[in-house]
Amino acid sequence: MRFGKAGRVVTAVAALGVSALALSACTGDIAANEDVDCTEYEEYGTFDGAEVTIGGTILDLEADRLVESWSDFAQCTGINIEYQGSSEFEAQIAVLAEGGNAPDIGIVPQPGLLARLAEGGWLIPASAEVEANVDEWWSEDWKQYGTYDGTFYAAPLMASIKGYVWYSPTQFEENGWEIPQTLDELTALTEEIAASGEKPWCVGLESGDATGWPATDWIEDWVLRLHGPEVYDQWVTHEIPFNDPRIVEAFDAVGEYIKNDDYVNGGIGDVSTLVTEAFQTAGLPILDGECSLHHQASFYETFWNAEGGDDVVVASDGDVFGFLTPPATAGDPLSVTGGGEFPVAFRDAEEVETVRAFLSSDTWANNRVSLGGVISANTGVDPENASSELLVQSIEILQDPETTFRFDGSDLMPGAVGADSFWRGVVAWVTGQSTQETVDAIESSWPSS
Amino acid sequence: MTTADLLGKILQVVMGLAVFAAIVGLLVFFIDRAPKKGRDYWQLVGFLAPAIILLAIGLIWPAIRTTGLAFLDNSGNFSWDNFIWMFTQPAAIRTLINTVIWVLFVPTLATALGLAYAVFIDKSRGERYYKALVFMPMAISFVGAGIIWRFVYEYRAGEREQIGLLNAIVTGLGGEPVQWLQTDPLNTFLLIVVMIWIQTGFAMVVLSAAIKGIPTEQIEAAQLDGTNAWQRFMNVTVPGIRGSLVVVLTTISIATLKVFDIVRTMTAGNFNTSVVANEMYTQAFRASEVGRGSALAVILFLLVLPIVIYNVNILRKQREIR
């Protein structure tokens, strides 16, 4: 009897061993890369069996590139970095943090969310190394976005510039159109294109349950250009109400373009199609000559070749290129809006801070930018490392001390506005609601505390 | 994931199961050895405790906490703001109205259609296949159904080729394509159609089984009395399945009150189509307004409560009759 039991245990263990052997063939332990130059990573020291988990909204190809950007670092320091991307990350991170299940590092794409997490008391302030890196490589503005209530929590990671107007250089040349230097010239150009019987603009606001956000980018660009950075700051911090006449003016200025049946929606339909056209595909009719202008951030570069590859040439002499939404009057300093991510820490450990220090270094920024598709506001980045002419230009704009940079307004506002009523407000506005009604509704949704 | 990780996880699962079995074993062992005096009592406690503890952790405590959160603002102070917001904001009021519309139409229409279908196919040839046909949508998740129907309602501007079934029909008949999901208040009803499409199968199956439970003698007696089909249906069939009807109606009502996936996948609550459950999620998780989300959850709870109580009462009465 006793013997029989032992025999069964042996069988079970053997079975487990066999299945483990079979499974190991599938899991594929990552082979160490032999020829990695570790000299660059010596300053971070080495760790034994340390593990750091990272969560974020970055998915697919971008996630692969992210993992690749730190693979050498991980190998040299011995820190095992696990990245887990989820499109629901923003909605879940606060819940995870409250339950004590947050990843060690969360890549948060909104300063507003960072502030909320900090307010909940879940974040670990950035270490001295991270702060030193930020002081060295980033502008004061950028550092501010990673700060809440006087405490510095996270360095910026990547960046994007919003407010590019994508166009076809060949089409512009054939028609003798000039790149507008002021908002009035942009209006004139729009009128000229419309007069030829074509719809000048392509707009798409559909983005699942985030539908509407591309329109908020328009509004933010116009507020910044029409009224300057001071009003912009007052607007996002609620020092002036959302239904301030100056904001109404910006709405109406944008409405001139996107709520006008003669100006939208090239190749797609009338104004009502704005909210059903996916933002990923909305600009593509430019390639067929069905419209000429498309307002979208620098990351839209990826969408021109939806199937991958490089059939569509993105260059100033190629099939498509972008110019920045011009300033209100000629000669105004360059003002741009943009976005970025912040790796915040939920676990107080040396290896976590080491990873964060690395992510805030110029070494990492250059690594990642060289892999393509993104830019960083890190001044240590060599613009030439960027994967395209447009991204080179974007990095130069971000690094230029003369540029007035402002973070995407809706990302700075409280979630109730920036991730809800503002999006829904512009959807209702585009589909017919008046400007005053829209801004009043958004204003009343602003949380009282 | 490395092999070591995987082995570790498998080991964890095995350990977990072993610990669980050990605890249950011990529990049963001790209950068995309980003192003779009051053994019944010990057994009762022993078997009920795990369920009650889990219920307390998973249901009762969260319910209390949610109610508490509903009365807190974002900085943690007591306030009525969340409820004031709910009953004064036009968008929030619209959400409540939409939920009422859903609860009025979905249970009644789904049950009526299910009943009619069940009656018509009753004892017909190939009944099984007819049943399967209507029951099939039940097998599709709400999200899946939402995506399917979004294609049905898909819109393309006049000159482009229609990929949406409904607009293809409209343009085929020479009409202008319609922005179905943007046309308020039509869009709410178009979303309701999806829910009815899913729930009719459930109603049909339950009611069909109930119809078969009516004694043939009753129907034959009614026939001998010279009643026509409609009179037999109203005076014999319907009273005979009253209990099942109530269960079906209340079950669908509860499902409708918490409808979330359909709205979220099809319109994300835009164009005045939001309902309480969708708004609850949006406020709590996307807008980081946990108080507002909780307040909506409390309202939802209060709305479901009477239906659940009614449902339980009916079930209990039925049992008494039996």
Side-chain angles (χ1 to χ4, degrees), chain B residues 200-223:
Chain B
T200 301
F202 165 72
M204 182 267 299
V205 166
V206 176
L207 296 176
S208 173
I211 289 171
K212 298 206 185 303
I214 299 171
T216 346
E217 297 84 7
Q218 280 184 20
I219 298 180
E220 276 166 10
Q223 241 163 347

Side-chain angles (χ1 to χ4, degrees), chain A residues 20 24 27 29 88 95 98 116 209 267-269 272-273 275-276 415-416 419-420 424 427 431 444-445 447-448, chain B residues 1-3 6-7 65 81 89 155 157 160 179 182 264 268 270-271 279 281-283 285-289 292:
Chain A
S24 67
T27 51
D29 298 49
E88 296 284 311
V95 180
E98 194 172 1
R116 172 157 178 248
D209 77 333
I268 301 164
S272 72
T273 62
V275 287
T276 46
D420 188 38
R424 284 202 247 184
V427 168
T431 47
S444 63
S445 75
S448 50
Chain B
M1 201 188 322
T2 62
T3 317
L6 198 71
L7 271 180
R65 206 175 106 85
D81 283 359
Q89 276 291 300
Y155 166 88
R160 297 167 93 200
Q179 283 271 30
Q182 282 181 43
R264 191 167 134 94
N270 277 314
F271 324 120
E279 201 60 24
Y281 176 87
T282 308
Q283 291 297 334
F285 297 114
R286 203 176 73 194
S288 318
E289 287 288 323
R292 288 178 187 174

Side-chain angles (χ1 to χ4, degrees), chain A residues 277-298:
Chain A
E277 184 63 27
F279 83 94
Q280 293 96 329
T281 55
L284 301 182
I286 290 184
L287 300 175
D288 308 324
E290 292 183 77
C291 61
S292 309
L293 304 162
H294 179 62
H295 180 272
Q296 192 52 273
S298 57

Side-chain angles (χ1 to χ4, degrees), chain B residues 96-174:
Chain B
L96 294 173
I97 294 175
N98 281 342
T99 303
V100 171
I101 296 176
W102 275 79
V103 177
L104 286 180
F105 284 88
V106 178
T108 45
L109 285 177
T111 312
L113 288 172
L115 177 60
Y117 195 81
V119 170
F120 283 129
I121 63 161
D122 194 40
K123 298 196 185 85
S124 70
R125 255 215 281 149
E127 183 180 342
R128 263 185 289 173
Y129 304 103
Y130 292 132
K131 269 188 182 169
L133 218 57
V134 174
F135 193 68
M136 222 119 58
M138 277 291 283
I140 299 173
S141 73
F142 282 22
V143 174
I147 292 169
I148 293 170
W149 280 85
R150 214 167 88 161
F151 278 116
V152 172
Y153 298 142
E154 186 73 40
Y155 166 88
R156 288 282 182 274
E159 59 275 17
R160 297 167 93 200
E161 194 188 350
Q162 298 297 330
I163 65 163
L165 177 67
L166 209 51
N167 269 327
I169 294 171
V170 169
T171 49
L173 295 172

Side-chain angles (χ1 to χ4, degrees), chain A residues 24-366:
Chain A
S24 67
C26 313
T27 51
D29 298 49
I30 300 157
N33 193 352
E34 294 297 326
D35 34 78
V36 172
D37 180 15
C38 283
T39 45
E40 268 188 286
Y41 306 109
E42 268 166 10
E43 56 175 302
Y44 298 106
T46 51
F47 293 78
D48 192 26
E51 186 152 335
V52 174
T53 55
I54 302 183
T57 48
I58 300 160
L59 298 168
D60 306 329
L61 178 65
E62 299 289 303
D64 293 343
R65 287 173 171 167
L66 193 64
V67 170
E68 197 183 333
S69 73
W70 61 55
S71 62
D72 288 356
F73 165 82
Q75 197 188 323
C76 291
T77 54
I79 301 176
N80 187 16
I81 305 178
E82 289 270 347
Y83 177 76
Q84 184 94 54
S86 157
S87 58
E88 296 284 311
F89 175 80
E90 286 154 282
Q92 287 169 352
I93 187 63
V95 180
L96 290 176
E98 194 172 1
N101 294 318
D104 298 338
I105 295 176
I107 302 177
V108 171
Q110 297 152 359
L113 185 54
L114 182 143
R116 172 157 178 248
L117 295 170
E119 200 175 48
W122 301 306
L123 297 189
I124 312 292
S127 65
E129 289 86 28
V130 175
E131 190 156 6
N133 275 340
V134 171
D135 288 337
E136 186 174 357
W137 303 116
W138 268 278
S139 70
E140 190 55 33
D141 285 339
W142 276 97
K143 187 182 178 186
Q144 209 51 45
Y145 298 130
T147 306
Y148 175 74
D149 210 11
T151 312
F152 176 66
Y153 286 102
L157 196 66
M158 292 172 272
S160 63
I161 291 192
K162 306 219 168 189
Y164 268 105
V165 177
W166 294 89
Y167 69 103
S168 157
T170 34
Q171 193 194 22
F172 266 52
E173 202 172 322
E174 278 166 18
N175 294 293
W177 297 331
E178 294 287 321
I179 287 172
Q181 301 302 317
T182 64
L183 286 180
D184 287 338
E185 285 183 32
L186 185 65
T187 309
L189 176 66
T190 304
E191 279 166 1
E192 194 185 333
I193 299 171
S196 71
E198 204 205 318
K199 301 278 181 71
W201 290 89
C202 285
V203 187
L205 310 181
E206 199 274 336
S207 176
D209 77 333
T211 297
W213 70 260
T216 68
D217 285 1
W218 281 77
I219 311 281
E220 288 151 12
D221 267 332
W222 260 259
V223 170
L224 183 62
R225 282 165 181 76
L226 290 175
H227 304 295
E230 284 78 30
V231 172
Y232 187 88
D233 291 343
Q234 289 166 354
W235 177 52
V236 297
T237 54
H238 209 219
E239 279 168 48
I240 59 171
F242 202 102
N243 50 6
D244 187 273
R246 285 166 292 194
I247 308 306
V248 172
E249 195 188 329
F251 264 83
D252 286 337
V254 172
E256 294 282 320
Y257 295 104
I258 67 174
K259 288 182 77 171
N260 188 332
D261 266 328
D262 295 332
Y263 293 172
V264 290
N265 198 5
I268 301 164
D270 56 11
V271 172
S272 72
T273 62
L274 259 56
V275 287
T276 46
E277 184 63 27
F279 83 94
Q280 293 96 329
T281 55
L284 301 182
I286 290 184
L287 300 175
D288 308 324
E290 292 183 77
C291 61
S292 309
L293 304 162
H294 179 62
H295 180 272
Q296 192 52 273
S298 57
F299 62 68
Y300 201 73
E301 191 186 332
T302 326
F303 295 120
W304 291 111
N305 289 298
E307 311 288 323
D310 49 8
D311 293 346
V312 178
V313 183
V314 182
S316 54
D317 55 356
D319 300 316
V320 282
F321 201 60
F323 62 81
L324 273 178
T325 308
T329 46
D332 273 3
L334 193 58
S335 304
V336 296
T337 53
E341 302 94 0
F342 299 85
V344 297
F346 293 97
R347 181 162 70 99
D348 197 0
E350 206 191 332
E351 60 264 28
V352 175
E353 282 312 310
T354 306
V355 171
R356 290 219 293 163
F358 172 62
L359 291 178
S360 64
S361 70
D362 56 329
T363 315
W364 180 82
N366 277 308

Side-chain angles (χ1 to χ4, degrees), chain A residues 379-403:
Chain A
T379 53
V381 171
D382 180 1
E384 295 308 317
N385 280 340
S387 54
S388 74
E389 192 183 339
L390 186 97
L391 294 184
V392 172
Q393 191 192 30
S394 304
I395 294 178
E396 284 166 355
I397 291 169
L398 283 177
Q399 291 183 347
D400 184 353
E402 297 299 306
T403 306

